[in-house]
Amino acid sequence: MVVGLGADPSSERYCGGTRFDNENKGGVSLEAADLFRTLFHTVLILAFLLPFVFILTALVTLEGVNKCSSFDCLGRRLGPRLLGRDDSERLVKDFYKILNQVNTEEIPDGIKLPDSFNQLVSEMKNNQYDARTFALMLRAMMEKLEREIRESKFSELMNKHFAASSIPKGLYCLSLRLTDEYSSNAHARRQLPSPELLPVLSNNSYHHLVLSTDNILAASVVVTSAVQSSLKPEKIVFHIITDKKTYAGMHAWFALNPVSPAIVEVKGVHQFDWLTRENVPVLDAVENHHGIRNYYHGNHIAGANLSDTTPRTFASKLQARSPKYISLLNHLRIYLPELYPNLDKVVFLDDDVVIQRDLSPLWTIDLRGKVNGAVETCKGEDEWVMSKHFRNYFNFSHPLIAKHLNPDECAWAYGMNVFDLRAWRKTNIRETYHYWLKENLKSNLTMWKLGTLPPALIAFKGHVHAIDPSWHMLGLGYQSKTNVENVKRAAVIHYNGQSKPWLQIGFEHLRPFWTKYVNYSNDFVRNCHILEL
């Protein structure tokens, strides 16, 4: 930079404090050119840097927690950037500080929240929000969104519960049409089995399977899949138990759709002489108790504190409130020794199973003096399905439960069980079952929420023999991540849970294992518009 320029009477020239005379004009011109070049390069560099300085200044203004009001502040903020040092760490700390501050503050009542993130950005620009206001608005928006998602999830679970508890129109139609056919068609009323085969019903050289259900289509799938998967179908005898209202339709279906060479017997609960109110007083009380009926058929939301409940817990509670749990059909398995006094061993099946392998070896399993051959559900690859211990079913804060049960004891599964009826008749399993049902009723259902498995876990305690898990795969009705390859290998697959394969809420990739055994060409199925989903 030029510091001074002037002349004295002797015509000497000064430039930068250096004395030159007229004879040095050539040197002056050379030095001036150098200075000019230096000045040019300086201006060029400044012209290049100034836009970046402007941008950085804008960034500091936008990102800063405190507004810079002096060149000293601006220098502190811009310095690290100009020197190539990252200032993001300090900015992150400032941001955390603001978030922590906002997190402890109350969100003002009546605060008007933007409907979208774009609207929030727009309001920031227009209203020039500082960082604290922005963080507060963002927190309020997120909390609102979380509430809406939570409410939506609970609504979804409620709708799924109602869908699972209802009877699809097609299945209702099927039952009505078959009942009408039973009354008008003598062939639909023919004796099952035919008179010459009646002795087989108590012949222990056959393989006897028991199914208790009021779902005609589901029963047909269980029977058809068992017969088609069997290496010796001529040895199969199915004993189907249904309720009085479904008996005519169920009988008509199997009379019109025989599964020869297997044998099928259909009986209604009203046709068993042993099933009297005197023999099942507790279950009669369960079915008619006002409080219990209200629990299963009433408002499932009233009185529930959803703010303290996770969706997963709420789903489990809803599943436990299925109306089927107060149906006599669901408790009938506890009376098998009395209902079939001449049989020694039976396999009991739920109506939401599919048989994929020959079940004959089940009759040769040595239960080692135990009554119930079942798959344990406390260990396995699937942590969601196979992780059930007694603590998952019982309230261990109740003194009776805490006194008699171990929370870490392994649970087992209903749905496919091998029952040694001879060994069973030597026990007090039925009496124990009744006793604990009574105690739970007395305690206002505080020991466990009603269902068939919890009292059975107590009644069969010490009488269970664990069988290989490949015989019975569970969870296809509530576990969408079920391994399909494992499904293919299982002998019996069980759609336990809400997502039954005959419902719209069934899992698409698991439904074909069930639908392959539905005869969609059957006239009754077609006329009721039961279409392959």
Side-chain angles (χ1 to χ4, degrees):
M1 184 173 62
V2 177
V3 177
L5 185 62
D8 63 13
S10 61
S11 298
E12 294 177 334
R13 297 178 180 272
Y14 288 82
C15 184
T18 305
R19 182 175 179 274
F20 294 92
D21 56 25
N22 291 331
E23 287 141 7
N24 293 327
K25 288 181 181 179
V28 171
S29 299
L30 184 59
E31 184 67 22
D34 290 338
L35 288 171
F36 207 62
R37 278 195 296 272
T38 301
L39 183 62
F40 174 75
H41 290 143
T42 302
V43 170
L44 187 63
I45 291 171
L46 288 174
F48 178 76
L49 288 177
L50 279 175
F52 290 95
V53 172
F54 174 78
I55 292 171
L56 290 173
T57 302
L59 286 173
V60 168
T61 303
L62 289 172
E63 294 176 356
V65 177
N66 301 312
K67 296 180 180 179
C68 285
S69 59
S70 67
F71 283 106
D72 177 63
C73 168
L74 189 60
R76 290 197 306 272
R77 306 303 296 274
L78 291 177
R81 294 175 182 265
L82 292 174
L83 294 175
R85 294 199 298 267
D86 188 7
D87 197 31
S88 60
E89 185 177 344
R90 187 189 53 75
L91 291 173
V92 169
K93 288 181 179 178
D94 289 343
F95 189 58
Y96 284 159
K97 182 179 179 181
I98 290 177
L99 288 179
N100 288 331
Q101 177 186 351
V102 168
N103 194 42
T104 60
E105 295 180 5
E106 290 288 334
I107 296 177
D109 292 334
I111 185 172
K112 186 177 180 182
L113 298 176
D115 295 325
S116 65
F117 183 75
N118 287 337
Q119 187 178 343
L120 175 63
V121 173
S122 176
E123 290 186 8
M124 279 183 61
K125 293 178 181 177
N126 296 333
N127 300 326
Q128 297 185 350
Y129 290 156
D130 57 19
R132 178 187 167 281
T133 304
F134 170 73
L136 189 66
M137 295 287 285
L138 194 61
R139 177 194 162 197
M141 288 180 66
M142 291 184 66
E143 290 186 358
K144 178 186 176 185
L145 183 62
E146 287 174 357
R147 287 194 301 271
E148 291 175 349
I149 292 174
R150 186 179 176 83
E151 291 170 2
S152 175
K153 185 63 178 178
F154 283 121
S155 296
E156 177 192 352
L157 292 171
M158 280 300 304
N159 291 335
K160 190 173 182 180
H161 173 69
F162 292 138
S165 302
S166 62
I167 301 174
K169 185 169 65 175
L171 299 189
Y172 184 68
C173 164
L174 182 65
S175 181
L176 289 180
R177 284 180 176 266
L178 286 167
T179 299
D180 181 64
E181 191 72 12
Y182 181 87
S183 64
S184 60
N185 184 348
H187 188 60
R189 296 192 302 273
R190 71 183 178 89
Q191 186 174 345
L192 290 177
S194 55
E196 67 273 15
L197 293 176
L198 287 177
V200 175
L201 297 180
S202 57
N203 187 334
N204 283 295
S205 66
Y206 285 78
H207 299 151
H208 296 268
L209 300 100
V210 181
L211 172 65
S212 176
T213 180
D214 60 356
N215 187 326
I216 298 172
L217 192 64
S220 74
V221 168
V222 175
V223 173
T224 302
S225 64
V227 173
Q228 291 186 12
S229 302
S230 176
L231 298 177
K232 299 177 180 179
E234 68 279 1
K235 300 291 287 184
I236 291 179
V237 179
F238 258 100
H239 303 267
I240 298 176
I241 309 173
T242 190
D243 56 17
K244 191 172 184 178
K245 65 178 175 56
T246 314
Y247 169 74
M250 187 76 74
H251 186 106
W253 174 270
F254 287 101
L256 298 173
N257 300 281
V259 286
S260 178
I263 297 169
V264 176
E265 175 196 36
V266 178
K267 290 187 76 171
V269 291
H270 59 289
Q271 295 173 317
F272 286 93
D273 295 334
W274 188 87
L275 286 177
T276 63
R277 291 181 182 274
E278 291 73 27
N279 288 330
V280 289
V282 177
L283 294 184
D284 183 61
V286 166
E287 210 165 24
N288 295 289
H289 189 283
H290 173 73
I292 293 174
R293 294 193 66 81
N294 183 62
Y295 177 79
Y296 284 96
H297 295 282
N299 189 335
H300 296 341
I301 294 292
N305 187 0
L306 298 184
S307 62
D308 294 334
T309 304
T310 65
R312 179 172 175 175
T313 302
F314 185 64
S316 299
K317 290 181 178 179
L318 283 178
Q319 189 169 338
R321 294 177 78 162
S322 171
K324 72 177 184 179
Y325 290 132
I326 58 174
S327 166
L328 178 60
L329 283 176
N330 211 41
H331 291 268
L332 276 182
R333 68 195 84 193
I334 205 68
Y335 305 116
L336 289 178
E338 289 77 26
L339 299 182
Y340 300 100
N342 298 317
L343 296 182
D344 295 338
K345 182 179 280 189
V346 300
V347 170
F348 188 91
L349 298 171
D350 278 355
D351 64 1
D352 52 357
V353 304
V354 173
I355 291 82
Q356 303 186 125
R357 205 164 75 207
D358 179 42
L359 298 183
S360 300
L362 289 176
W363 277 265
T364 64
I365 292 178
D366 182 6
L367 298 182
R368 300 177 186 177
K370 305 295 185 181
V371 172
N372 180 5
V375 169
E376 291 183 322
T377 55
C378 64
K379 48 197 169 188
E381 294 180 9
D382 194 330
E383 294 181 359
W384 171 257
V385 177
M386 306 297 284
S387 61
K388 301 295 189 296
H389 294 80
F390 276 28
R391 73 171 74 90
N392 299 106
Y393 297 98
F394 298 101
N395 173 21
F396 276 88
S397 64
H398 193 287
L400 268 180
I401 295 295
K403 179 180 178 181
H404 291 92
L405 302 180
N406 177 6
D408 297 320
E409 187 165 345
C410 188
W412 46 268
Y414 257 158
M416 198 288 294
N417 303 85
V418 184
F419 289 123
D420 185 336
L421 301 186
R422 286 184 301 176
W424 191 338
R425 294 185 186 103
K426 299 174 185 177
T427 70
N428 62 345
I429 289 174
R430 175 166 56 92
E431 291 75 16
T432 303
Y433 190 89
H434 282 175
Y435 169 80
W436 283 95
L437 276 180
K438 288 179 183 177
E439 292 300 319
N440 195 33
L441 286 174
K442 288 179 186 176
S443 69
N444 197 26
L445 307 183
T446 56
M447 292 183 180
W448 70 84
K449 298 307 179 185
L450 276 187
T452 54
L453 185 56
L457 289 174
I458 303 176
F460 283 101
K461 199 170 183 298
H463 299 290
V464 178
H465 174 74
I467 63 176
D468 192 286
S470 66
W471 282 111
H472 185 191
M473 183 176 182
L474 298 111
L476 277 71
Y478 65 85
Q479 171 60 295
S480 62
K481 297 179 181 179
T482 299
N483 187 304
V484 173
E485 292 304 315
N486 290 342
V487 172
K488 293 177 181 178
R489 290 193 293 267
V492 176
I493 55 175
H494 193 173
Y495 291 85
N496 59 311
Q498 293 178 320
S499 301
K500 304 298 185 189
W502 55 82
L503 299 175
Q504 291 281 358
I505 58 175
F507 299 122
E508 294 291 336
H509 64 298
L510 300 177
R511 184 180 284 121
F513 293 97
W514 186 84
T515 56
K516 67 187 287 188
Y517 295 106
V518 177
N519 182 9
Y520 289 102
S521 63
N522 180 276
D523 287 342
F524 290 97
V525 172
R526 285 191 299 106
N527 290 335
C528 287
H529 306 289
I530 300 174
L531 304 176
E532 192 165 0
L533 298 172

